[in-house]
Amino acid sequence: MARRSSFRGADRFIGLLTPLVLLGIWEAAARTGLIDARFFPAPSSIVHQFGALIANGELGDNLMASLRRLALGMLVGGVPALFLGLAMGISRPLRAAIDPLISATYPIPKSAILPLVLLIFGLGEMSKVVMVALGAFYPILINTVMGVANIDKIYLDVGHNFRASRWQVFRTIALPGALPSIMAGIKLAMGMGLILIAISEMVAASDGIGYMIWNAWQVLTVDTMYVGLLVIALLGFIFSVILDEVERLLIPWKGNKA
Amino acid sequence: MAVVSRLNAQPKPTAVPAPMQISLRGVRKYFGASGFVAVDGVDIDIPQGQFFVIVGPSGCGKTTLLRMLAGLEGLSEGTMTINRTDPSRPENSMVFQGDSLFPWMTVFDNAAYGLRMRGVPETDVRESVQLWLERIGLWRFRDRFPSQLSGGMRQRVSIVRAFANDPEILLMDEPFSALDEQNKMVLHEELLRIWEASKKTVVFITHSVDEAVTLGDRIMVMTANPGREKAMIDVPFPRPRNVLELRHQPAYGDLVFNIWEQLREEVQRARANAEGDK
């Protein structure tokens, strides 16, 4: 065991070392003029800009605007997807009725719907929320349906043999049985939400991280652009850490073998 | 046409003195358009409190028969009469083949499932589940999840789940088939111990002749494809039984040999049929 964990420690060290070395090379190359600092500003200057944007409140305001849209959109898209998915997973007729609609609309790139969403919901907050909601809806719906529909039949037999009512079957078997798949759907939805919030803020917003990146391109403050990218990357990382933790709490029967 | 009755009435006076808990008459089951006949005209009478074992080659329709008793399959033809002695208790609970514990519930919650589904007050649930888990030696594992238990322990929990529900009839579908010999032996002893105290009617399915003779009061040997009664054999050994001592007796060996002879023909016929289908 000790051997194994020391290997794991070594792996982690190497994993940290690689990006640090690359950053060092980048810094040196930018300073010596080996690469064009207009396109690839030195990491130190990006960090400097990062600090400045925090200090003048610009980063905080944009981040809050994006987070608010993201949270609203996840709720507006995710909650109906969850309930519809559970219902479709349980009811065969409902699945037969709605599946074709889902299969037909799912492959449309959500970014391609943006003009239509702008047309319908205008340039206000609503259009951005709707874009995130659209992105969250499909993965959560599809994973929930799959999770419920793929529950091992023997568990349903147990439920029927112990005379569980429909509601009891739902609460004690369908929902917990589908939970791992639902969590996977929520993770996919989160990633999709980040992509869509960046795109829609670039096209149709006056604040938010997406707007900040687009504006930086227009006024050619490349440092700010990199700060925006860094923030989005950090958001993705933080969300995945949080969701992993939520998963551990919600699905305690997975992965804690004695 | 199918006539299915699940009577709650008192047993009618008949020629047989012991009250029959389960009566099957001309029960047939065929599936779908293929017309595959799984069970073909089975008549069984099982008195209250009997340990009834059905033994047969795989694919002989014994599981289908049990699922009909459990209410998980309908009958195609014939009648099934269940005489209830106490309508306040559940009619039957099943111990399933293979892993049927809910992976998302702890040992305690799994064992409490039947009681909770029928709305037994939580204090009574606790009391009953604790009693049964202690009786089978798993109380200290009550907060574990099934994935943290061995196969033998998991199967003990599903036996507790059925017993704790306190049904009139226990249905057991090859509950030990996935276990190794030593585990099987221990579980046979445990099952006999807790069953002898409860005196429930049991219908037990197995493909193991040893298991049938060790556990049963009466054994039905089934033919394969379609499933019919081939022989009905009374097991003369007194109770309580000691599994190890029982297996040491010459009479035990004779009975096992006798049943094996009946069964061998069926297994060979089933194999011949399967070859013929190719």
Side-chain angles (χ1 to χ4, degrees), chain A residues 100-190:
Chain A
L101 291 177
I102 303 297
S103 313
T105 52
Y106 174 59
I108 303 172
K110 305 303 164 280
S111 46
I113 312 176
L114 180 54
L116 186 64
V117 169
L118 288 176
L119 192 67
I120 297 172
F121 295 97
L123 288 168
E125 282 303 285
M126 200 56 193
S127 54
K128 268 76 75 182
V129 171
V130 166
M131 283 306 288
V132 175
L134 277 174
F137 182 79
Y138 285 92
I140 293 180
L141 178 75
I142 290 169
N143 272 274
T144 306
V145 174
M146 218 173 59
V148 176
N150 288 349
I151 288 173
D152 202 332
K153 201 181 158 299
I154 197 168
Y155 301 134
L156 300 174
D157 280 346
V158 173
H160 292 144
N161 185 243
F162 285 98
R163 303 286 180 269
S165 66
R166 270 183 87 84
W167 164 245
Q168 285 171 325
V169 168
F170 173 79
R171 190 171 54 79
T172 62
I173 301 173
L175 191 59
L179 211 48
S181 179
I182 294 172
M183 274 311 295
I186 292 175
K187 287 181 180 175
L188 286 173
M190 207 69 212

Side-chain angles (χ1 to χ4, degrees), chain A residues 151 153-155 157-165 168-169 171-174 176-177 252-253 256-258, chain B residues 6 67 70 72 92-94 96-97 99-105 113-114 116-117 144-145 147-148 161-162 165:
Chain A
I151 288 173
K153 201 181 158 299
I154 197 168
Y155 301 134
D157 280 346
V158 173
H160 292 144
N161 185 243
F162 285 98
R163 303 286 180 269
S165 66
Q168 285 171 325
V169 168
R171 190 171 54 79
T172 62
I173 301 173
W253 62 90
N256 54 349
K257 302 254 191 285
Chain B
R6 294 176 153 266
R67 288 177 64 84
L72 295 172
N92 71 73
S93 298
M94 183 144 162
F96 289 81
Q97 187 179 8
D99 271 337
S100 69
L101 293 180
F102 300 122
W104 49 87
M105 288 184 195
Y113 191 74
R116 283 183 177 154
M117 289 307 105
R144 297 259 188 111
F145 287 105
S147 61
Q148 302 166 314
R161 178 169 67 185
N165 196 32

Side-chain angles (χ1 to χ4, degrees), chain B residues 105-121:
Chain B
M105 288 184 195
T106 60
V107 165
F108 185 94
D109 290 340
N110 265 297
Y113 191 74
L115 295 171
R116 283 183 177 154
M117 289 307 105
R118 55 193 180 92
V120 171

Side-chain angles (χ1 to χ4, degrees), chain A residues 25-247:
Chain A
I25 294 172
W26 179 359
E27 181 78 35
R31 286 197 182 193
T32 55
L34 210 63
I35 53 174
D36 193 333
R38 283 176 305 172
F39 305 147
F40 306 103
S44 58
S45 71
I46 296 170
V47 170
H48 180 77
Q49 182 70 354
F50 198 104
L53 286 172
I54 289 174
N56 69 14
E58 206 176 307
L59 186 60
D61 291 348
N62 285 323
L63 184 61
M64 283 321 290
S66 292
L67 283 177
R68 199 174 54 238
R69 290 164 187 153
L70 208 51
L72 273 173
M74 288 294 291
L75 280 178
V76 170
V79 173
L82 184 65
F83 283 103
L84 183 61
L86 289 169
M88 281 172 71
I90 291 170
S91 157
R92 249 188 120 86
L94 192 65
R95 197 151 75 232
I98 298 183
D99 243 355
L101 291 177
I102 303 297
S103 313
T105 52
Y106 174 59
I108 303 172
K110 305 303 164 280
S111 46
I113 312 176
L114 180 54
L116 186 64
V117 169
L118 288 176
L119 192 67
I120 297 172
F121 295 97
L123 288 168
E125 282 303 285
M126 200 56 193
S127 54
K128 268 76 75 182
V129 171
V130 166
M131 283 306 288
V132 175
L134 277 174
F137 182 79
Y138 285 92
I140 293 180
L141 178 75
I142 290 169
N143 272 274
T144 306
V145 174
M146 218 173 59
V148 176
N150 288 349
I151 288 173
D152 202 332
K153 201 181 158 299
I154 197 168
Y155 301 134
L156 300 174
D157 280 346
V158 173
H160 292 144
N161 185 243
F162 285 98
R163 303 286 180 269
S165 66
R166 270 183 87 84
W167 164 245
Q168 285 171 325
V169 168
F170 173 79
R171 190 171 54 79
T172 62
I173 301 173
L175 191 59
L179 211 48
S181 179
I182 294 172
M183 274 311 295
I186 292 175
K187 287 181 180 175
L188 286 173
M190 207 69 212
M192 194 51 115
L194 271 177
I195 294 174
L196 287 172
I197 196 65
I199 292 176
S200 29
E201 283 175 351
M202 282 182 189
V203 177
S206 52
D207 55 3
I209 297 296
Y211 164 81
M212 194 178 96
I213 294 172
W214 190 254
N215 192 52
W217 140 251
Q218 286 182 318
V219 301
L220 265 163
T221 48
V222 184
D223 292 347
T224 305
M225 207 187 286
Y226 276 94
V227 171
L229 292 175
L230 185 64
V231 167
I232 289 189
L234 278 175
L235 279 184
F237 176 73
I238 291 167
F239 287 151
S240 92
V241 169
I242 291 174
L243 286 175
D244 282 346
E245 199 51 41
V246 169
E247 187 171 28

Side-chain angles (χ1 to χ4, degrees), chain B residues 105-113 116 122-131 133 138-139 141-145 157 160:
Chain B
M105 288 184 195
T106 60
V107 165
F108 185 94
D109 290 340
N110 265 297
Y113 191 74
R116 283 183 177 154
E122 197 57 29
T123 47
D124 297 349
V125 171
R126 268 202 83 78
E127 196 180 321
S128 173
V129 169
Q130 178 165 2
L131 181 80
L133 283 177
L138 286 176
W139 175 243
F141 298 106
R142 61 189 176 277
D143 292 326
R144 297 259 188 111
F145 287 105
V157 177
V160 165

Side-chain angles (χ1 to χ4, degrees), chain B residues 158-215:
Chain B
S158 45
I159 290 170
V160 165
R161 178 169 67 185
F163 268 97
N165 196 32
D166 194 25
E168 290 191 35
I169 304 167
L170 267 176
L171 305 172
M172 308 184 87
D173 183 11
E174 305 199 28
F176 307 134
S177 61
L179 303 180
D180 61 66
E181 249 351 275
Q182 286 123 43
N183 252 312
K184 232 183 253 188
M185 180 88 98
V186 173
L187 279 172
H188 285 158
E189 295 223 332
E190 279 183 352
L191 175 62
L192 284 179
R193 185 167 51 82
I194 60 177
W195 170 75
E196 274 157 5
S198 76
K199 282 295 170 197
K200 290 178 191 306
T201 307
V202 176
V203 182
F204 189 104
I205 301 266
T206 182
H207 60 255
S208 154
V209 177
D210 274 304
E211 190 163 86
V213 175
T214 305
L215 300 174

